[in-house]
């Protein structure tokens, strides 16, 4: 359940506006919070997620950096180790790899290597995924790289409400969080979001739709086509949709309890299939609830190829029709 400091006032926000709202709230609440990255200051960010923050909080709190991802994250780690709470933006997930060494060799290990003397209250934000007709290196969904690393939390929200609450939770967390924002739905829809600060707990899934025939697990941008598929199948198949929201740590209890109710499962993600998180979720179900299983777990994913450019992009991403086919395959087994 979310914890809300309620005044009752809300705004009807898009997902990217919810990102900005969370950053604004935490910059105002805690002077140790700062935002840094390429073009996040005067320009307001490539997707305008930081628009207006530079004018309100100044260049010492909203910092334009050189185009050097390793330098951005490395500097932020040093700031975090000495008590600040930096939020580092990487313009696209496909640009995060130069900072990979800083994230996995230093941020993730700082608490362990210092025997608890230092923590690393760092958030690395990055828009991820396809669907916006972007050029090369702009459409990756490689969350598995980071979920494999102990010491990192990986969050992938799907709604404006969850985005604000989870980002506030991430900023307040004492350890590093990779916060992946589904840019395909940055402005796809609006939702009422409380004006005040509230948190959505990291590591807790939510059930978007109750059902009895099959459990479908999703997160981020894939939640909307999954919900559309479930709605299209209404009257034919009773689909339960579980939005993980956080992929590390995974909410194993929610995954298992849903499966024990339905006996069938499908997993939807836009990352490539091989070593994707659908495999990990399948393993959890095999280990924890094998005797409830009535059919093989269906994986509805991207393909094991580089993310394609414009002409083939719609064929790569799982969409409602392909998700419906996968659900039918599992149910009709």
């Amino acid at each position: 359940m979310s914890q809300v400091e309620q005044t009752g006032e809300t705004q009807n926000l898009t997902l990217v506006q919810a990102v900005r709202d969370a950053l604004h709230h935490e910059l105002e609440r805690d002077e140790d919070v700062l935002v840094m990255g390429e073009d996040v200051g005067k320009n307001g960010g490539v997707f305008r997620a930081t628009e207006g923050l530079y004018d309100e909080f100044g260049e010492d709190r909203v910092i334009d950096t050189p185009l050097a991802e390793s330098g951005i994250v490395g500097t932020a780690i040093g700031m975090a180790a000495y008590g600040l709470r930096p939020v580092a933006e990487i313009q696209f997930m496909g640009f995060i790899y130069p900072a990979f060494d800083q994230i996995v060799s230093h941020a993730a290990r700082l608490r362990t290597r210092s025997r608890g003397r230092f923590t690393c209250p760092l958030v690395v934000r990055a828009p991820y995924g396809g669907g916006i007709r972007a050029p090369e290196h702009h459409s990756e969904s490689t969350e598995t790289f980071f979920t494999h690393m102990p010491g990192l939390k990986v969050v992938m929200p799907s709604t404006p409400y969850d985005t604000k609450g989870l980002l506030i939770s991430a900023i307040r967390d004492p350890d590093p969080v990779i916060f992946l924002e589904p840019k395909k739905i940055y402005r796809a829809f609006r939702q009422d979001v409380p004006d005040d600060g509230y948190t959505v707990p990291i590591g807790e899934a939510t059930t978007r739709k109750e059902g009895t025939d099959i459990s479908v697990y999703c997160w981020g941008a894939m939640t909307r086509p999954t919900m559309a598929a479930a709605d299209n199948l209404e009257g034919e198949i009773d689909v339960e949709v579980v939005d993980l929201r956080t992929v590390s740590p995974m909410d194993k209890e929610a995954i298992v309890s849903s499966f024990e109710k339905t006996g069938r499962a499908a997993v939807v993600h836009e990352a490539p299939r091989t070593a994707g998180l659908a495999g990990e979720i399948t393993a959890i179900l095999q280990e924890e609830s094998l005797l409830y299983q009535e059919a093989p777990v269906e994986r509805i994913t991207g393909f094991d190829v580089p993310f394609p450019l414009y002409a083939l992009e719609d064929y790569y991403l799982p969409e409602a029709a392909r998700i419906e086919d996968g659900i039918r395959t599992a149910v009709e087994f």
Side-chain angles (χ1 to χ4, degrees):
M1 294 294 292
S2 303
Q3 300 166 1
V4 184
E5 302 158 14
Q6 281 280 18
T7 65
E9 298 295 325
T10 64
Q11 297 182 72
N12 199 236
L13 301 181
T14 63
L15 195 147
V16 73
Q17 288 172 332
V19 171
R20 185 204 176 278
D21 205 37
L23 293 173
H24 182 276
H25 186 275
E26 292 303 283
L27 283 163
E28 192 171 56
R29 186 190 71 89
D30 184 352
E31 64 181 11
D32 288 333
V33 174
L34 56 92
V35 174
M36 58 193 298
E38 299 161 21
D39 296 324
V40 300
K42 292 183 179 181
N43 193 46
V46 66
F47 290 102
R48 302 298 181 262
T50 55
E51 192 167 30
L53 299 181
Y54 180 90
D55 292 335
E56 184 165 353
F57 296 101
E59 62 182 7
D60 292 334
R61 306 275 312 280
V62 183
I63 304 168
D64 280 320
T65 68
L67 197 162
E69 287 78 14
S70 180
I72 293 167
V73 175
T75 301
I77 291 169
M79 291 175 168
Y82 282 91
L84 298 176
R85 290 185 175 269
V87 181
E89 178 184 295
I90 305 298
Q91 282 193 341
F92 293 87
M93 191 177 189
F95 300 167
I96 204 170
Y97 311 124
F100 193 75
D101 177 52
Q102 293 288 352
I103 293 169
V104 303
S105 298
H106 301 291
R109 302 171 193 257
L110 188 60
R111 180 190 284 273
T112 301
R113 292 179 69 189
S114 68
R115 302 300 185 264
R117 182 183 172 195
F118 294 103
T119 61
C120 190
L122 162 69
V123 178
V124 179
R125 293 180 43 245
Y128 85 92
I132 66 164
R133 305 297 190 260
E136 190 180 12
H137 297 310
H138 290 67
S139 300
E140 277 90 334
S141 181
T142 50
E143 60 271 13
T144 308
F145 290 169
F146 300 100
T147 62
H148 188 71
M149 189 66 204
L152 296 178
K153 296 171 183 175
V154 183
V155 176
M156 303 179 74
S158 66
T159 68
Y161 180 91
D162 283 351
T163 295
K164 180 176 177 179
L166 284 165
L167 184 51
I168 289 175
S169 292
I171 293 169
R172 297 179 187 181
D173 198 284
D175 292 301
V177 179
I178 308 299
F179 197 88
L180 302 178
E181 300 162 9
K183 61 181 179 288
K184 177 179 170 62
I185 58 171
Y186 258 160
R187 294 177 171 85
F189 65 103
R190 293 178 177 271
Q191 186 180 31
D192 287 338
V193 176
D195 284 341
D196 294 319
Y198 64 93
T199 59
V200 173
I202 292 174
E204 288 190 15
T206 187
T207 301
R208 298 289 179 196
K209 179 181 179 298
E210 298 277 354
T212 57
D213 292 335
I214 184 171
S215 302
V216 183
Y217 305 99
C218 55
W219 51 89
M222 291 297 97
T223 301
R224 281 173 64 79
T226 300
M227 289 294 292
D231 290 342
N232 293 343
L233 291 168
E234 196 71 44
E236 176 188 350
I237 299 172
D238 193 16
V239 179
E240 179 149 301
V241 179
V242 180
D243 181 353
L244 294 190
R245 302 192 293 193
T246 301
V247 294
S248 183
M250 276 189 184
D251 189 346
K252 292 184 180 181
E253 184 178 344
I255 292 169
V256 170
S257 64
S258 177
F259 185 69
E260 290 182 354
K261 179 170 68 171
T262 66
R264 292 177 172 82
V267 186
V268 184
H269 63 66
E270 62 181 284
R273 174 170 296 205
T274 299
L277 293 178
E280 180 63 23
I281 293 169
T282 300
I284 290 170
L285 297 176
Q286 297 286 300
E287 292 166 354
E288 302 292 333
S289 49
L290 177 63
L291 298 182
Y292 292 85
Q293 186 168 351
E294 298 183 25
V297 177
E298 192 71 18
R299 293 184 290 172
I300 307 162
T301 70
F303 301 101
D304 292 337
V305 297
F307 195 92
L309 297 180
Y310 316 130
L312 296 175
E313 188 170 17
D314 290 340
Y315 295 98
Y316 179 93
L317 291 171
E319 37 73 47
R322 181 144 71 96
I323 297 168
E324 289 174 42
D325 288 344
I327 290 171
R328 286 195 181 95
T329 298
V331 171
E332 295 171 1
F333 176 80

